[in-house]
Amino acid sequence: MQYPPQQASVQSPFTTTITKENTRTILSVLLATSIFSLLFIFSLSSTNSSTNTAPQYPRPDPYLFPTRPTFNKIPSDPAPSSVAYLVSGSAGDAGRILRLLYATYHPKNFYLLHLDRFASQTERDSLAVTVQSVPIFRAAQNVNVIGKADFAYPTGSSSISATLHGASILLRLSANWEWFIPLSASDYPLITQDDLLHILSYLPKDMNFVNHTSYIGWRESRKLKPIIVDPGLYLSEKTQMFYATQKRELPHAFRLFSGSSHAILSRNFVEFCIIGTDNLPRTLLMYLSNMPSSLPNYFPTILCNSRQFNRTVVNDNLLYVARDEPFRKEFRPLNSTEFDVMIQSAAAFARGFHFDDPVLDRIDQEILGRSPGQVVPGGWCLGESEDNICAVWGDADVLRPGPGASRLEKRIVRLLTNGEFRSHQCVVE
């Protein structure tokens, strides 16, 4: 093996000898320069600190999330759960979304607001500005607005895409939530978040509350076999849904289950649908891409066809809807005549409210204890003013469950009894 020839060391004719006196001179210059640089840096930092006097929230407020010693934790008292909410609406729904945000707000939760592309960018920007103006939202750093919106046609598969998009963002935003709940602008809570988080903290974190049935019936000809083309998947402007004249056969590789677009899903299941290695969620997504009203079929079908999750399903989504007949396909709008029935149902949410219907004011006053333009008071609120008790806040882990927690507890206990739970879980009819 040959190596390149080594070059001989050549003494430069310009090389000078550094004396001890020159060395002292150089060190003195370097020392003086260093001291001047440090003084200059300190002067800049002091100037910046004196001018930045406005309060900022680069991190969540430590009063909401104080550091606790691990040895003080009581084993029999579980830490409160956390919910990730995807609140969706369309054109003209910014006010409804904001009211729903106030009604479901808790500092431990995470909120992603989505005004779809049927809404204007001005409406979307206005919603974001309003959210940033609320002090508790800035302090907790837990409310976000989707800037680049999606189309979400109710009768197409673009609604699945929008839901999965929102869920994936929430997974990225925080690793601390355990449950995912998608809400529409026509939904409203029937219990406080202190009630809901208190009950969820005592449940296994892998449970999924999803209405589901394998009975097809009228859905076969109207919902499952027709072929459609959802323009929300490939067009940038609103247009009509395209229906094909052909129909297709039902699948043999998996069993179709139908349900509701509302669900309370575990984080483990959401991760399974979005980043899991099992191909069933993606296969089903491709199959449903040309099916009418595909979102109510997506989550129930994955849950009941997965060995990993088919034993975690509770056949109840804890949502109240009003139907004139038990098997009627569509639900009717809610009003004040439904108030007592809604509350007695012990549901966590109700669907089908008109914008600013008087029944919402009654729910705010009698159930949530919420004043107009304010969030629902919870254990974290320490203010003395009755008009705005949440103007001063403390530990977000402090919950004060009320009568709503007792109602929801009785409903869930009834659902989880041995005879009720297993007999209604992914049953093939």
Side-chain angles (χ1 to χ4, degrees):
M1 180 179 295
Q2 294 182 353
Y3 296 91
Q6 296 182 354
Q7 295 181 354
S9 176
V10 180
Q11 182 71 30
S12 170
F14 300 102
T15 302
T16 60
T17 303
I18 300 177
T19 63
K20 293 182 178 180
E21 184 177 355
N22 292 336
T23 302
R24 294 193 194 99
T25 303
I26 294 173
L27 291 176
S28 300
V29 174
L30 290 176
L31 180 61
T33 304
S34 301
I35 294 174
F36 178 77
S37 300
L38 289 174
L39 291 175
F40 181 71
I41 293 173
F42 289 151
S43 66
L44 286 178
S45 61
S46 62
T47 302
N48 290 336
S49 61
S50 62
T51 56
N52 295 336
T53 57
Q56 298 178 357
Y57 298 99
R59 299 177 182 175
D61 194 319
Y63 284 100
L64 287 169
F65 308 102
T67 303
R68 296 178 181 79
T70 55
F71 56 82
N72 285 340
K73 185 177 179 180
I74 303 175
S76 60
D77 188 16
S81 292
S82 177
V83 175
Y85 283 99
L86 173 63
V87 185
S88 302
S90 192
D93 285 338
R96 303 174 75 183
I97 287 180
L98 190 62
R99 179 170 186 167
L100 181 55
L101 172 63
Y102 284 136
T104 58
Y105 185 77
H106 194 280
K108 285 188 67 67
N109 295 336
F110 295 87
Y111 300 85
L112 185 63
L113 313 183
H114 178 226
L115 277 171
D116 63 25
R117 294 185 65 176
F118 297 122
S120 66
Q121 188 62 39
T122 302
E123 187 178 7
R124 198 172 296 110
D125 294 340
S126 176
L127 177 62
V129 170
T130 303
V131 166
Q132 287 299 316
S133 67
V134 180
I136 184 58
F137 297 167
R138 297 199 310 270
Q141 294 286 296
N142 63 341
V143 182
N144 292 272
V145 178
I146 294 181
K148 188 176 181 180
D150 301 306
F151 274 119
Y153 285 82
T155 57
S157 56
S158 54
S159 57
I160 300 181
S161 175
T163 302
L164 295 179
H165 181 205
S168 64
I169 293 176
L170 288 164
L171 286 174
R172 184 72 177 269
L173 287 175
S174 174
N176 297 327
W177 56 266
E178 295 92 8
W179 311 88
F180 171 67
I181 303 180
L183 296 177
S184 70
S186 66
D187 296 340
Y188 215 69
L190 301 179
I191 58 175
T192 68
Q193 288 302 290
D194 278 21
D195 295 333
L196 180 62
L197 299 185
H198 173 73
I199 297 300
L200 291 179
S201 64
Y202 286 90
L203 294 176
K205 297 300 184 289
D206 62 345
M207 298 189 73
N208 297 277
F209 293 86
V210 181
N211 279 1
H212 61 276
T213 178
S214 65
Y215 174 73
I216 296 177
W218 60 270
R219 298 181 185 89
E220 179 174 352
S221 60
R222 298 185 182 180
K223 301 290 186 181
L224 302 181
K225 287 189 173 182
I227 300 175
I228 66 170
V229 179
D230 188 337
L233 300 178
Y234 66 97
L235 293 180
S236 60
E237 66 276 349
K238 181 179 179 181
T239 186
Q240 296 295 323
M241 193 75 62
F242 174 76
Y243 285 80
T245 57
Q246 298 85 356
K247 292 188 177 183
R248 59 181 174 181
E249 296 298 323
L250 297 180
H252 299 288
F254 47 83
R255 181 85 182 192
L256 284 175
F257 284 78
S258 183
S260 169
S261 58
H262 176 83
I264 300 178
L265 303 173
S266 67
R267 183 188 182 98
N268 289 339
F269 176 67
V270 173
E271 291 177 341
F272 175 79
C273 292
I274 295 175
I275 60 177
T277 57
D278 194 301
N279 205 35
L280 174 61
R282 283 166 287 276
T283 300
L284 185 61
L285 185 61
M286 298 293 289
Y287 176 78
L288 296 178
S289 62
N290 299 116
M291 177 183 290
S293 303
S294 54
L295 181 57
N297 302 313
Y298 183 68
F299 292 123
T301 300
I302 297 176
L303 283 166
C304 289
N305 283 273
S306 170
R307 293 184 178 180
Q308 181 179 349
F309 293 99
N310 60 8
R311 308 302 286 176
T312 68
V313 190
V314 180
N315 198 353
D316 192 318
N317 60 0
L318 306 182
L319 177 75
Y320 176 85
V321 294
R323 290 184 172 90
D324 293 327
E325 299 176 5
F327 299 101
R328 182 176 176 175
K329 298 183 285 293
E330 303 296 335
F331 57 85
R332 56 180 170 79
L334 299 174
N335 53 48
S336 297
T337 62
E338 303 282 343
F339 181 82
D340 292 333
V341 179
M342 280 191 293
I343 304 306
Q344 293 172 6
S345 72
F349 302 91
R351 171 166 292 181
F353 294 101
H354 286 302
F355 177 66
D356 281 348
D357 191 282
V359 70
L360 298 178
D361 296 331
R362 188 176 178 186
I363 294 174
D364 283 340
Q365 296 169 7
E366 300 184 26
I367 305 301
L368 304 180
R370 189 183 79 87
S371 301
Q374 304 294 332
V375 299
V376 176
W380 57 276
C381 299
L382 303 179
E384 298 181 355
S385 172
E386 294 183 358
D387 295 333
N388 191 6
I389 189 176
C390 297
V392 180
W393 50 76
D395 192 345
D397 276 349
V398 177
L399 301 179
R400 293 175 184 167
S406 300
R407 295 194 301 269
L408 183 60
E409 178 185 7
K410 292 178 182 178
R411 176 165 177 161
I412 292 179
V413 168
R414 184 174 67 252
L415 291 170
L416 298 183
T417 55
N418 291 332
E420 184 80 12
F421 180 41
R422 298 300 181 191
S423 63
H424 292 78
Q425 191 177 53
C426 295
V427 177
V428 177
E429 302 179 47

